[in-house]
């Protein structure tokens, strides 16, 4: 499998096996939206559950939050999202009216356009003679705000205008005081949130990479200013550990230190964690920024409410913040790309997903050797129910012959297949009674395991 066709294989597998479908598929789709199928939602939930455990439950310094998607519009004025800070440069094909992101068009043409002003973009388009992908002249660049607008209540005036949140982070900042007052956390501490975010991307593209509706997993980690360098390094290492926990190999992850001239004006340091997406190369998987105390200060000024943290000795200050921010869809894509493998087994080429057991949609699949033998089916149902009670995500698979079942489960990343055969019933060798065959996805090796040992075996 070449790097270029690996992504195509992953996308095709996602559709064929029920991981990811085009949004509103039967109506021809809706650009920038994707729906998770039964296996996709299982993988996605596993990623989010593991993240919550890794960054919240396993630590003493993190607090969870689930803020509303719709927020008072003053939030977005204070955060700067209604202004130029949350705009992308847009150009139009002057003949067809089709819209493009100017910096992406320039980048696709081999020109570096990051951080350019609109005037600089216009100059560059003219000097390199850039045309639209349809071969037509391009309009001048203008700023396009990416927030989706909607209206709240029965009013039609400007007072009813609200936005779908473009990041979960602001829900954390506006609840900073609530969490401090209700939980009395000791600084440094973090507030974590997982939830949907919406951006009206000019050009959604590359599968789940750039979409208009997506999920984020974000932490705002509140610190004293003088702690920032040491806490930054600790959290950076935690992020490295998280990507390792997702099974992403270190050679496929790169840390991109955002140069000073590209940093947001309030950021003192930002690292993009990039993944080597097949056919695309290294691009942003997650971001990690030191945002000073810009956000809390802005909300304090705009709301008139104190965002100060008060120490036991009575001293007060506005905490500074470190922000690790992860996109769930990009993590899911990276996990699938990393796991998608090809080898030769029993003289046949097979495509399979080497998913870590804690992420796989199904922990194991249970099958009766033959589906027309009631005694095998009865015993297999018993084993299935026992495992299902323990793990939840156990598949029942009695379709086709055993080889086909293995292939099907390999393709969706099920780590183990458990088969109940005549030996389980003790009909041939009594010493094998109440044992089953467990087959390993990656090696194809089969072992005989006692039913009473099965849970411990799968938990290994
Ligand atoms: N609160 C900071 C923040 O939102 P960001 O770099 O704009 O920072 C964080 O977004 C992460 O969210 C990205 O690293 C990416 O994983 C994900 N993300 C952002 N925009 C996205 C989009 N249009 N489609 C899919 N994922 C996106």
């Amino acid at each position: 499998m070449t790097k270029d066709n690996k992504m195509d294989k992953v996308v095709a597998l996602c559709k064929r096996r029920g991981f990811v479908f085009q949004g509103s598929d039967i109506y021809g789709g809706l650009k920038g939206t994707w729906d998770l199928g039964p296996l996709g939602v299982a993988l996605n939930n596993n990623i989010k559950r593991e993240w919550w455990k890794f960054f919240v439950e396993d630590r003493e310094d993190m607090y969870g939050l689930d803020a509303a998607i719709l927020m008072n519009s003053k939030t977005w004025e204070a955060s700067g999202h209604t202004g130029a800070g949350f705009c992308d440069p847009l150009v139009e094909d002057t003949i067809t009216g089709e819209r493009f992101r100017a910096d992406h068009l320039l980048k696709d043409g081999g020109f570096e356009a990051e951080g350019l002003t609109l005037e600089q973009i216009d100059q560059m388009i003219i000097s390199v003679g850039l045309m639209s992908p349809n071969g037509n002249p391009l309009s001048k660049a203008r700023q396009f705000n990416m927030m989706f607008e909607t209206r709240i209540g029965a009013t039609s005036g400007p007072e009813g205008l609200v936005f779908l949140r473009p990041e979960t982070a602001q829900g954390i900042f506006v609840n900073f005081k609530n969490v401090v007052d209700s939980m009395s956390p000791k600084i440094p501490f973090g507030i974590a949130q997982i939830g949907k975010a919406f951006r009206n991307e000019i050009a959604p593209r590359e599968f789940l990479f750039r979409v208009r509706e997506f999920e984020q997993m974000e932490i705002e980690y509140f610190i004293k200013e003088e702690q920032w360098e040491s806490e930054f390094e600790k959290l950076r290492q935690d992020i490295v550990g998280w990507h390792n926990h997702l099974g992403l190999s270190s050679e496929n992850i790169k840390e991109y230190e955002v140069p000073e001239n590209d940093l947001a004006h309030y950021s003192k340091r930002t690292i993009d964690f990039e993944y080597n997406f097949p056919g695309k190369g290294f691009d942003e998987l997650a971001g990690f920024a030191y945002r000073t105390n810009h956000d809390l200060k802005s909300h304090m000024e705009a709301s008139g409410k104190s965002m100060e943290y008060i120490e036991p000795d009575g001293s007060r200050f506005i905490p500074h913040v470190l922000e690790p921010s992860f996109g769930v869809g990009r993590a899911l894509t990276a996990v699938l790309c990393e796991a998608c493998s090809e080898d030769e087994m029993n003289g046949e080429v097979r495509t399979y997903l080497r998913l870590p057991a804690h992420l796989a949609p199904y922990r194991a699949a249970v099958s009766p050797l033959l589906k027309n033998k009631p005694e095998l089916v009865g015993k297999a149902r018993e084993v299935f129910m026992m495992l299902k009670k323990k793990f939840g995500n156990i598949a029942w698979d009695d379709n086709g012959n055993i080889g086909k079942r293995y292939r099907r489960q390999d393709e969706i990343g099920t780590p183990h297949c458990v088969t109940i055969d005549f030996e389980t019933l003790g009909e041939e060798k009594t010493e094998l009674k109440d044992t089953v065959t467990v087959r390993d996805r990656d090696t194809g090796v089969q072992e005989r395991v006692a039913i009473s040992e099965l849970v411990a075996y799968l938990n290994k």
Side-chain angles (χ1 to χ4, degrees):
M1 191 168 13
T2 65
K3 272 210 154 254
D4 282 347
N5 76 15
K6 189 172 188 180
M7 196 65 190
D8 294 339
K9 283 209 165 177
V10 169
V11 174
L13 189 150
C14 277
K15 173 154 194 186
R16 192 174 63 250
R17 298 307 313 272
F19 282 88
V20 184
F21 307 125
Q22 171 70 58
S24 314
D25 203 7
I26 63 166
Y27 291 108
L30 178 67
K31 237 178 160 204
T33 67
W34 295 88
D35 296 341
L36 295 173
L39 300 188
V41 79
L43 175 56
N44 207 58
N45 282 344
N46 289 347
I47 292 172
K48 290 189 288 179
R49 188 202 56 233
E50 289 295 317
W51 186 88
W52 196 257
K53 183 165 170 359
F54 190 94
F55 281 109
V56 183
E57 291 175 355
D58 287 354
R59 303 175 60 129
E60 292 179 50
D61 57 347
M62 293 284 186
Y63 298 82
L65 183 78
D66 191 2
I69 288 175
L70 300 177
M71 301 175 72
N72 189 311
S73 296
K74 289 178 186 158
T75 308
W76 307 112
E77 282 162 33
S79 67
H81 282 84
T82 46
F86 200 60
C87 289
D88 277 337
L90 176 144
V91 283
E92 278 179 41
D93 179 313
T94 51
I95 308 293
T96 66
E98 210 178 328
R99 294 169 158 197
F100 304 96
R101 241 182 93 165
D103 53 338
H104 284 176
L105 278 191
L106 283 164
K107 202 171 167 204
D108 293 347
F111 310 102
E112 196 39 72
E114 219 160 287
L116 294 187
T117 63
L118 291 182
E119 291 70 32
Q120 288 168 329
I121 287 174
D122 288 339
Q123 278 166 11
M124 195 180 241
I125 287 175
I126 292 168
S127 67
V128 302
L130 191 75
M131 295 286 178
S132 90
N134 311 314
N136 301 319
L138 290 164
S139 70
K140 282 196 156 193
R142 66 180 166 89
Q143 298 288 16
F144 176 79
N145 192 287
M146 285 194 285
M147 280 206 294
F148 278 105
E149 294 179 3
T150 187
R151 309 222 145 247
I152 204 156
T155 51
S156 57
E159 66 280 8
L161 178 68
V162 290
F163 301 94
L164 299 187
R165 69 179 177 203
E167 61 172 15
T168 62
Q170 297 304 321
I172 298 180
F173 291 123
V174 302
N175 277 290
F176 168 75
K177 202 69 188 146
N178 286 334
V179 174
V180 168
D181 291 346
S182 56
M183 305 302 290
S184 312
K186 284 203 182 63
I187 216 148
F189 70 92
I191 304 179
Q193 172 164 231
I194 300 178
K196 286 257 177 172
F198 304 82
R199 294 184 191 181
N200 197 3
E201 295 282 353
I202 297 168
R205 57 184 190 172
E206 292 158 327
F207 193 43
L208 303 179
F209 189 82
R210 192 170 302 285
V211 292
R212 291 185 168 133
E213 175 178 343
F214 57 101
E215 282 182 295
Q216 288 186 316
M217 309 182 282
E218 294 200 295
I219 295 168
E220 302 304 330
Y221 197 72
F222 300 99
I223 55 170
K224 293 180 185 168
E225 184 175 5
E226 60 272 23
Q227 296 172 316
W228 88 263
E229 275 160 314
S230 57
E231 293 300 331
F232 191 98
E233 179 51 23
K234 280 195 234 162
L235 269 182
R236 190 193 66 76
Q237 285 177 19
D238 293 336
I239 297 170
V240 170
W242 162 246
H243 289 140
N244 194 29
H245 188 65
L246 284 182
L248 307 179
S249 57
S250 51
E251 65 266 27
N252 279 334
I253 301 264
K254 213 164 68 182
E255 291 180 36
Y256 171 71
E257 187 81 44
V258 176
E260 226 163 278
N261 59 333
D262 274 344
L263 289 174
H265 64 278
Y266 48 77
S267 176
K268 288 245 175 88
R269 188 179 177 193
T270 296
I271 294 178
D272 286 345
F273 283 79
E274 298 186 331
Y275 182 75
N276 191 9
F277 292 96
K280 173 171 170 64
F282 282 96
D283 213 332
E284 185 179 335
L285 175 65
F288 180 36
Y290 169 38
R291 298 176 66 108
T292 64
N293 62 359
H294 166 82
D295 303 86
L296 286 183
K297 220 159 99 188
S298 304
H299 286 302
M300 181 160 153
E301 280 162 19
S303 68
K305 302 274 162 32
S306 170
M307 295 289 161
E308 288 177 321
Y309 180 87
I310 305 172
E311 290 274 46
D313 66 5
S315 57
R316 23 174 89 222
F317 60 97
I318 304 173
H320 281 229
V321 77
L322 302 173
E323 181 193 66
S325 176
F326 307 84
V328 187
R330 289 193 194 176
L332 184 139
T333 310
V335 164
L336 285 171
C337 291
E338 186 82 31
C340 187
S341 316
E342 223 169 60
D343 67 2
E344 214 186 286
M345 195 172 263
N346 305 326
E348 274 179 37
V349 176
R350 73 164 177 158
T351 302
Y352 68 112
L353 295 181
R354 289 173 72 99
L355 290 172
H358 56 277
L359 298 181
Y362 293 120
R363 184 64 196 77
V366 178
S367 302
L369 183 64
L370 301 169
K371 77 175 192 185
N372 58 357
K373 295 281 177 219
E375 60 279 30
L376 286 179
V377 174
K379 190 71 184 171
R381 290 299 298 176
E382 258 177 47
V383 173
F384 171 69
M385 290 314 295
M386 185 266 291
L387 292 180
K388 200 152 179 60
K389 251 191 204 147
K390 194 73 202 163
F391 295 99
N393 59 343
I394 301 292
W396 172 261
D397 194 351
D398 62 3
N399 259 335
N401 66 38
I402 201 79
K404 285 215 175 91
R405 293 178 205 165
Y406 287 161
R407 225 29 64 80
R408 244 192 337 260
Q409 295 300 330
D410 290 349
E411 205 186 22
I412 59 171
T414 308
H416 290 104
C417 286
V418 176
T419 305
I420 284 72
D421 52 26
F422 291 106
E423 290 176 335
T424 314
L425 304 178
E427 286 183 1
E428 286 164 18
K429 297 178 194 143
T430 50
E431 70 275 17
L432 293 183
K433 189 170 183 325
D434 287 329
T435 64
V436 291
T437 302
V438 181
R439 174 197 175 263
D440 180 90
R441 173 197 64 202
D442 300 340
T443 60
V445 169
Q446 303 187 11
E447 279 191 77
R448 209 68 208 173
V449 179
I451 292 173
S452 57
E453 300 293 322
L454 208 42
V455 170
Y457 184 92
L458 295 180
N459 265 331
K460 262 199 310 207

